[in-house]
Amino acid sequence: MQRALTNQGNEYRSALIRLVEPMPSSTRGPNRAHSWTNAFVERLQGTILSELWRIEFRQRFFTRVATMQDVLDRYLAFYNHQRPHLGHRTSGRTPAEIFMQVQEVSS
């Protein structure tokens, strides 16, 4: 890892420091003059909240973190491989399709 972009939140700061401390890397927050630096992450978090968690939390009560992780993993597989993305950079392709196309071009 060369660099980690954080949102300056304190929730995981100590875990992040332990992870990157032994590596020759740097961490920095998003440039406050350019809100787009964190926009993709914020949009993904909003999508997961509205399409997954708001629905799941209405339907069931989770008692184990592992169960929540399983639900999230299934959603992310759907998000990356099946769900059409309509953003101007995606043009209806899934993230997996875009990634595979980039991998083929760079090979």
Side-chain angles (χ1 to χ4, degrees):
M1 175 183 354
Q2 293 176 353
R3 182 175 28 192
L5 177 64
T6 70
N7 67 356
Q8 300 299 320
N10 291 323
E11 300 89 8
Y12 305 105
R13 185 177 304 267
S14 62
L16 178 64
I17 289 169
R18 281 194 310 272
L19 177 68
V20 300
E21 197 171 55
M23 299 179 209
S25 61
S26 66
T27 61
R28 69 177 183 87
N31 186 338
R32 296 191 193 283
H34 299 288
S35 61
W36 55 265
T37 56
N38 209 25
F40 291 110
V41 172
E42 295 293 335
R43 182 67 190 116
L44 174 61
Q45 290 173 343
T47 298
I48 292 171
L49 178 64
S50 65
E51 291 185 3
L52 176 66
W53 294 127
R54 286 187 179 147
I55 295 166
E56 286 291 330
F57 289 151
R58 284 188 199 121
Q59 295 176 351
R60 68 167 115 179
F61 181 76
F62 289 95
T63 57
R64 297 179 55 231
V65 172
T67 307
M68 291 179 70
Q69 186 65 55
D70 290 341
V71 170
L72 178 60
D73 291 343
R74 281 195 308 273
Y75 176 78
L76 290 176
F78 164 74
Y79 181 91
N80 286 320
H81 296 277
Q82 297 173 323
R83 181 187 180 274
H85 291 251
L86 304 176
H88 94 236
R89 292 186 177 151
T90 56
S91 303
R93 298 171 295 169
T94 65
E97 291 170 333
I98 295 167
F99 179 75
M100 293 307 292
Q101 183 180 17
V102 168
Q103 291 299 314
E104 290 169 5
V105 170
S106 65
S107 302

